Amino acid sequence: MHAVTSVDHAPDHSLLDAIERYYDAVPRSAARTEDFGPLTLFVREGAGWPYYARPTLDHDGPATTAEDVLRVLARQRELGEPEAFEWVAERSPELRAAVEAAGLAVHEHPLLVLGPQDEPASAPELPEEVRVEVLGADAPELASAVAVPHLAFAEPGTGVGAVGAAELAEAAGRLTAEGAVERIARRITDGATVLAAAVEDGSALCAGQHNPVGAVTEVAGVGTLPVARRRGLGLAVTAALVAHARANGVRTVFLSAADEEVARIYRRAGFRPFATALIAEPAPDRPGD
């Protein structure tokens, strides 16, 4: 049997439905869709983050088979897109068997939520020289705020690392040249993305975003520069994003944690576990293959 991340109570199906509708809606601002029956493939339009396939919203036909998954994989390879699938275990429990039968490896990530009745925790106190704020599209710190999660996720974990200011400046310059900073600026202007950062000496040490769709939003991409970890910056940025969302009519805020260690940090921000996000991708080559 597969181990699935435990939650504190039985799944809230109305909440799962709201999250599923969010997951179907949010990529559509930057991607087109292709219909594969029980699966929908999101294909990015232009530059930017690549997307994935997900269960088709409100599909009422036969359950997904390994053959369905293989058809999507063939299309992803044809397009040069990642061979990736994402879904919520409690919402589409049958999909795991199909993707594994197609040869993909499945990774589990805790989903945590602040629902309408949940109270967020207070933001941690930070030194006076660090300010946490929501950035506008023309903020001078925007490039470093876009870059810092890239460096954080390249060196995963919660321990203090060696990557610091020099690497951040290089990454910010590269992402500016590639147009990534301009894309985020446009999304901020359009209201599709809200970006918050912990800033010190004119540069972001931690940043993250939320992407609202109606009354639901996901906190995503919260990452701290490795040399600046263990200072409470991630919690402070998350608190700023939650406060912004709540102040602008969002009732449900959720996020996906990398693992249980990271999930414990978000529990301190008031989030509670409610489901399991699953990501499927090609399995690493076995020794001797």
Side-chain angles (χ1 to χ4, degrees):
M1 294 181 64
H2 298 293
V4 175
T5 305
S6 62
V7 297
D8 293 339
H9 46 73
D12 179 334
H13 290 287
S14 63
L15 181 57
L16 287 173
D17 185 64
I19 299 303
E20 191 69 14
R21 292 185 180 282
Y22 175 91
Y23 273 137
D24 180 78
V26 75
R28 294 175 184 266
S29 64
R32 72 175 192 275
T33 62
E34 296 189 7
D35 181 13
F36 288 83
L39 296 169
T40 296
L41 175 60
F42 293 92
V43 182
R44 62 181 165 182
E45 299 277 27
W49 290 104
Y51 288 99
Y52 37 73
R54 291 193 58 81
T56 297
L57 188 66
D58 296 330
H59 176 72
D60 58 1
T64 307
T65 65
E67 288 71 25
D68 295 320
V69 175
L70 289 170
R71 287 196 301 124
V72 175
L73 287 171
R75 179 59 173 156
Q76 288 171 323
R77 286 192 291 270
E78 179 184 359
L79 293 168
E81 296 293 313
E83 298 172 30
F85 294 73
E86 297 188 8
W87 72 101
V88 178
E90 292 80 358
R91 188 63 159 71
S92 304
E94 78 290 342
L95 183 52
R96 182 167 193 159
V99 299
E100 289 183 331
L104 300 180
V106 178
H107 309 282
E108 299 179 358
H109 302 277
L111 272 177
L112 299 96
V113 69
L114 271 168
Q117 307 306 318
D118 298 322
E119 286 297 324
S122 300
E125 291 190 12
L126 299 177
E128 289 185 2
E129 61 270 19
V130 178
R131 74 179 193 277
V132 178
E133 60 184 42
V134 172
L135 300 182
D138 58 351
E141 306 88 359
L142 185 62
S144 61
V146 172
V148 71
H150 288 260
L151 299 177
F153 299 140
E155 190 175 322
T158 59
V160 177
V163 174
E167 292 85 356
L168 180 58
E170 187 280 330
R174 173 173 50 81
L175 291 169
T176 298
E178 293 174 355
V181 177
E182 183 182 355
R183 287 193 296 274
I184 292 296
R186 286 199 301 268
R187 289 183 61 84
I188 291 172
T189 299
D190 293 342
T193 290
V194 176
L195 184 68
V199 176
E200 184 179 43
D201 295 329
S203 183
L205 298 180
C206 176
Q209 59 185 252
H210 80 87
N211 303 285
V213 177
V216 180
T217 195
E218 179 182 22
V219 170
V222 178
T224 301
L225 193 67
V227 296
R229 287 173 176 160
R230 302 292 179 91
R231 295 173 57 184
L233 302 180
L235 281 176
V237 167
T238 300
L241 292 167
V242 170
H244 180 279
R246 286 282 177 86
N248 287 274
V250 174
R251 294 171 51 80
T252 298
V253 184
F254 75 101
L255 57 83
S256 173
D259 52 36
E260 288 293 344
E261 182 180 9
V262 175
R264 283 195 294 271
I265 295 173
Y266 286 115
R267 284 176 185 256
R268 289 161 50 195
F271 286 82
R272 58 180 172 83
F274 80 100
T276 307
L278 299 182
I279 298 176
E281 57 190 8
D285 291 338
R286 294 171 296 181
D289 282 359

